Amino acid sequence: MTVPLGAYIAVSAVLFFTGCAGVLVRRNAVVILMCVELMLNAANLALVAFSRKYGSIDERGSVFVVFVFVIAAAEVAVGLGIILSAYRNRPVINVDEIHQMKG
Amino acid sequence: MISLVWLIPAFPLAAFLISGLFGRRWLGHLTGLVATIAVGLSALLSIGVFLEVLGGKTQTVVQLYRWIAVGDFSINVSALIDPLSSVMLLVVTVVSFLIFVYSNGYMEHDAGFYRFFAWLSLFVFAMLILVMADNYLLMFVGWEGVGLCSYLLIGYWFERPAPYYAAKKAFVMNRIGDWGYTIGIITIFLVFGSMNFLDVFKRLEESAPAQATLTLICVALFFGATGKSAQLPLYSWLPDAMEGPTPVSALIHAATMVTSGVYLVARSMPLFEVAGPSLQVVGVVGAITAIFAATIALVQFDIKRVMAYSTVSQLGYMFLALGVGAPVAAMFHLATHAFFKALLFLGSGSVIHGLGGEQDMRKMGGLRRKMPVTFWTMLIAGGALAALPPLAGFWSKDEILGAAFVNGHVVLYAIGIITAVLTAFYVTRALWMTFYGEPRDHHLYDHAHESPRVMTLPLIALAAGSAVLGIVVGFPPEQGSVHSFLAPVVEAAGLAEHIPELATIVALALVSVAAGVIGIAFGVSMYVRHRPDSAALTRAAGPVYRVLVSKYYIDELYDHRFVEAARAFAGASWAFDIHIIDGLANRLGWVLAMGGQGLRRVQTGIVGNYALTIVAGLLLMLVAYGGYATGILGR
């Protein structure tokens, strides 16, 4: 049984907009970071699905997924670093209250 | 020697630069010495040039460099040395030298010593440029230069308000006159295609332009002359200019700068001669100014103001002479007047110096015992001004009046004679109030002292000039050496010199002398024997006296008519500038600032808002893409 492409894309879209909504709505920096991960993985899912469907020779599209993993890892490392140093400065992780650097 | 003529103005210019640049820090009182030596060298050179012109070089053009060259129009910086300019050079440099010597004493205690000599040197430089110029444009450079220096030196004591206002007034009135000069030289350029004196006069003979144009040129030039030479209607700055230091009054406002209008008209005589009624205008304005200023001088109490009005009056005589077609007499009177009026001013300065700054003649009196040198020299100058023979003023004034009579201008002659009576009276009055009678302010009298040698020696030198200059160059009347020397001026203008018969000459001279004696006798009788008593006469004259003391209310009239109108216009312009011009710029700035304030609120600093904006933008793009892709939004 072959799952149709539309189903993959639907799941991907749901994941993406869940993440997007989380980024917009939540105030907790860690949660926001997690939601960004969700969005990235939604994109990954879409990439893999398209790669399977149309990449008849060697599924080159999947390579991008590896790139996204790397970028996501780097992003998490930097993001958590920022959050930690901000937390050390002031014990708050609510992004709206971190505004010392506002011009 | 003539080829070195450019050194004459170079010395004062160098003195100006040296004292201006180094005077304050390093030279101090040496600036006076430097400037005096520089002007002395100029005077020596001028004497040399004069002698060479006397020896027969009647017209030399010394070019320094080409200044403007456009097409076939060119203006050179070059000097025209002929009898007219050499006389002016001689008078200007010699009188300047004596006044520079005097200033070393007079200004000794002044804090701005170096500044004074810097500006005075600059003045001499500008005056020499004016005199030497061979074209109207270069002359205008000197003309403006002397005006600037006059402004600077009248306002020399600018910490006080009166000199500052006087300087401003002088400058503005001179500018009004300069407007006339500018119109004149522009018209000359348009008509003749040149501004060079010799070219203009040559083309005048060849082309004979329309009378109306020539009259416009001459009246415009004469208007410029009235500003510089303090004639009606632009005379009223000169009495106020007495706020400057006395040597400045003597040099600029008696001997040299104020005569430049006379020089301009004498220089342009060929134009004036053919330009219909313009010479009459010159003569009538001169005569009216002469008598007008003399009447004001009758009732002034400030010794320098008496001399100032006297200067206006004597300049009127010079224009009267030009107007009746006697430029030689005008130049002759210019030269003698430079000596005796400079002497009168320097003498007044010596009195003021000796009294510690007092200028009111009502507080003087009896000073002849305290200041013998000043007294005797001023007596000679006063005699020259009152035209007593054989002093200098007699010969020159007699020539003017004689020329007026012989050339048929009887009314002008009569005005001249009446003015001569008034002149003799006011000079008698001034000298009497200063030097004779009982001291009226004993405190001042007790502290009065004769001036130092450095001030009295120039007085003596000028007194010698005032005494003998007239008889040396002016005898016999109408045929003296001044006539043969300045003959080219008369020839260039195409004037015929009327040489009257001996009997006429003697009769005219007797009338002149009688006029002087009547004036003096009246003055002496009034102040020695109190018959008529001056106070009683003042009361009897009543309104006339008030009008004279108030100087005919001319200043008030000008204030009402012109100054206030100008102020109102300036106020309106100011309001326009502030409200419309500045207002526009300020409003624009305000709008932009407000816009910025509004837009600033978009930058909330809340990350969520930014993220929302990004997502909203993304959605908008997707919707638009979808719309285009499906053809809903069209192409």
Side-chain angles (χ1 to χ4, degrees):
Chain A
M1 174 190 134
T2 341
V3 182
L5 183 63
Y8 288 106
I9 300 305
V11 173
S12 171
V14 168
L15 278 177
F16 185 85
F17 283 103
T18 313
C20 189
V23 169
L24 292 182
V25 173
R26 302 300 296 263
R27 296 284 177 266
N28 188 318
V30 180
V31 176
I32 289 175
L33 218 53
M34 286 158 63
C35 290
V36 171
E37 287 304 310
L38 210 55
M39 288 160 75
L40 287 168
N41 284 318
N44 280 347
L45 182 59
L47 281 168
V48 172
F50 281 119
S51 174
R52 284 293 288 194
K53 177 81 178 165
Y54 298 110
S56 51
I57 305 166
D58 53 1
E59 297 182 26
R60 277 176 210 163
S62 306
V63 177
F64 280 100
V65 177
V66 182
F67 282 121
V68 175
F69 283 156
V70 175
I71 288 168
E75 185 235 312
V76 168
V78 174
L80 278 177
I82 290 173
I83 291 168
L84 272 178
S85 70
Y87 186 77
R88 238 180 256 140
N89 218 6
R90 275 183 69 200
V92 179
I93 48 169
N94 186 339
V95 286
D96 290 349
E97 289 176 30
I98 305 172
H99 48 61
Q100 288 103 321
M101 291 175 72
K102 184 180 167 193
Chain B
M1 191 69 89
I2 285 186
S3 52
L4 296 178
V5 76
W6 280 103
L7 281 177
I8 297 178
F11 283 123
L13 180 65
F16 160 67
L17 292 175
I18 291 171
S19 37
L21 291 176
F22 309 119
R24 182 175 186 167
R25 185 103 23 112
W26 292 298
L27 291 175
H29 273 56
L30 278 178
T31 49
L33 190 66
V34 170
T36 311
I37 289 173
V39 176
L41 289 172
S42 295
L44 286 178
L45 269 176
S46 300
I47 293 171
V49 167
F50 180 78
L51 290 177
E52 242 180 86
V53 175
L54 200 61
K57 286 194 173 180
T58 50
Q59 199 175 77
T60 320
V61 176
V62 186
Q63 183 175 343
L64 191 65
Y65 63 92
R66 172 172 286 193
W67 180 19
I68 299 171
V70 182
D72 57 353
F73 170 71
S74 82
I75 287 190
N76 299 328
V77 175
S78 50
L80 173 63
I81 302 301
D82 62 357
L84 197 60
S85 56
S86 66
V87 166
M88 286 297 285
L89 279 180
L90 193 67
V91 170
V92 168
T93 53
V94 170
V95 174
S96 297
F97 172 66
L98 294 172
I99 293 174
F100 269 64
V101 173
Y102 176 94
S103 305
N104 276 298
Y106 190 84
M107 300 303 288
E108 195 178 357
H109 304 298
D110 196 278
F113 193 81
Y114 81 94
R115 186 163 57 99
F116 180 81
F117 275 97
W119 288 344
L120 212 58
S121 306
L122 182 65
F123 167 76
V124 175
F125 166 72
M127 187 69 205
L128 290 170
I129 293 290
L130 190 163
V131 166
M132 286 165 45
D134 84 326
N135 57 67
Y136 282 102
L137 199 62
L138 186 59
M139 193 185 198
F140 191 56
V141 173
W143 186 270
E144 291 296 300
V146 292
L148 168 70
C149 295
S150 165
Y151 167 79
L152 290 171
L153 285 162
I154 295 169
Y156 176 73
W157 286 310
F158 55 80
E159 317 82 50
R160 289 192 282 121
Y164 158 68
Y165 281 117
K168 204 164 65 176
K169 183 174 181 182
F171 198 74
V172 170
M173 295 198 95
N174 267 302
R175 292 299 312 166
I176 296 170
D178 294 344
W179 170 76
Y181 189 113
T182 322
I183 300 280
I185 60 174
I186 291 172
T187 319
I188 285 176
F189 170 65
L190 291 178
V191 174
F192 297 103
S194 170
M195 291 191 185
N196 187 297
F197 294 135
L198 300 176
D199 288 351
V200 168
F201 301 151
K202 203 167 75 207
R203 287 175 203 182
L204 177 68
E205 284 175 14
E206 290 163 359
S207 61
Q211 279 288 310
T213 325
L214 285 174
T215 309
L216 169 70
I217 292 174
C218 290
V219 170
L221 285 180
F222 178 60
F223 189 66
T226 59
K228 207 48 107 195
S229 293
Q231 298 295 294
L232 283 171
L234 296 176
Y235 77 98
S236 69
W237 63 271
L238 185 59
D240 286 5
M242 297 302 127
E243 294 291 346
T246 308
V248 172
S249 310
L251 178 59
I252 302 184
H253 305 120
T256 54
M257 185 189 89
V258 289
T259 60
S260 53
V262 179
Y263 177 69
L264 170 68
V265 177
R267 181 53 91 194
S268 315
M269 211 58 193
L271 282 173
F272 279 81
E273 177 56 27
V274 292
S278 39
L279 267 186
Q280 270 86 322
V281 173
V282 173
V284 169
V285 169
I288 294 176
T289 310
I291 192 162
F292 176 82
T295 52
I296 300 178
L298 297 177
V299 296
Q300 295 296 312
F301 286 110
D302 183 325
I303 187 166
K304 282 180 73 181
R305 295 217 171 219
V306 175
M307 299 308 164
Y309 281 107
S310 164
T311 305
V312 175
S313 169
Q314 297 299 310
L315 290 166
Y317 265 116
M318 294 175 210
F319 281 107
L320 168 63
L322 293 168
V324 299
V328 175
M331 291 307 291
F332 186 21
H333 197 57
L334 188 158
T336 58
H337 175 258
F339 276 87
F340 66 70
K341 187 52 66 62
L343 175 52
L344 280 171
F345 267 112
L346 294 186
S348 313
S350 174
V351 170
I352 295 165
H353 190 71
L355 294 178
E358 185 53 59
Q359 301 195 3
D360 193 335
M361 294 193 295
R362 284 170 292 194
K363 295 186 180 162
M364 299 175 185
L367 288 172
R368 71 180 189 282
R369 289 184 292 276
K370 290 274 191 169
M371 307 179 167
V373 180
T374 306
F375 166 64
W376 281 108
T377 51
M378 272 188 88
L379 199 63
I380 292 172
L385 176 58
L388 290 184
L391 302 172
F394 166 72
W395 303 94
S396 52
K397 194 182 276 187
D398 199 40
E399 295 229 342
I400 292 176
L401 294 177
F405 186 79
V406 172
N407 292 349
H409 301 273
V410 182
V411 178
L412 298 185
Y413 173 76
I415 294 177
I417 288 292
I418 296 169
T419 309
V421 177
L422 299 176
T423 307
F425 173 75
Y426 69 65
V427 72
T428 310
R429 170 178 175 272
L431 292 182
W432 189 275
M433 288 183 83
T434 311
F435 291 110
Y436 281 92
E438 285 307 305
R440 281 180 289 272
D441 187 326
H442 283 279
H443 179 73
L444 277 177
Y445 180 78
D446 291 340
H447 290 83
H449 57 83
E450 180 61 285
S451 300
R453 192 74 58 82
V454 69
M455 287 167 69
T456 51
L457 283 179
L459 292 184
I460 294 168
L462 284 170
S466 306
V468 301
L469 185 65
I471 197 162
V472 168
V473 304
F475 185 82
E478 312 292 342
Q479 291 159 46
S481 53
V482 65
H483 282 270
S484 50
F485 183 64
L486 287 175
V489 183
V490 184
E491 281 165 21
L495 294 164
E497 276 225 86
H498 302 285
I499 297 177
E501 290 170 20
L502 188 64
T504 323
I505 293 175
V506 173
L508 287 171
L510 283 178
V511 174
S512 300
V513 174
V517 170
I518 289 170
I520 292 172
F522 191 71
V524 170
S525 145
M526 187 186 234
Y527 287 96
V528 182
R529 298 166 58 209
H530 297 287
R531 208 181 303 163
D533 187 55
S534 58
L537 192 65
T538 306
R539 271 195 302 282
V544 178
Y545 180 79
R546 274 199 300 280
V547 167
L548 288 183
V549 167
S550 314
K551 300 164 263 182
Y552 292 94
Y553 300 101
I554 291 287
D555 280 338
E556 286 78 1
L557 181 76
Y558 284 178
D559 274 349
H560 264 299
R561 289 285 139 155
F562 303 114
V563 177
E564 274 174 21
R567 282 227 179 93
F569 180 66
S573 306
W574 177 80
F576 182 79
D577 182 48
I578 288 294
H579 295 299
I580 310 293
I581 307 280
D582 284 6
L584 209 63
N586 289 345
R587 296 279 148 70
L588 196 64
W590 184 83
V591 165
L592 291 178
M594 285 303 110
Q597 286 282 346
L599 287 176
R600 203 168 69 94
R601 291 174 201 285
V602 174
Q603 301 286 330
T604 53
I606 297 166
V607 185
N609 292 358
Y610 298 159
L612 187 64
T613 319
I614 292 169
V615 173
L618 184 68
L619 280 179
L620 203 66
M621 271 152 62
L622 284 176
V623 168
Y625 174 74
Y628 281 119
T630 52
I632 297 169
L633 284 175
R635 272 279 140 219

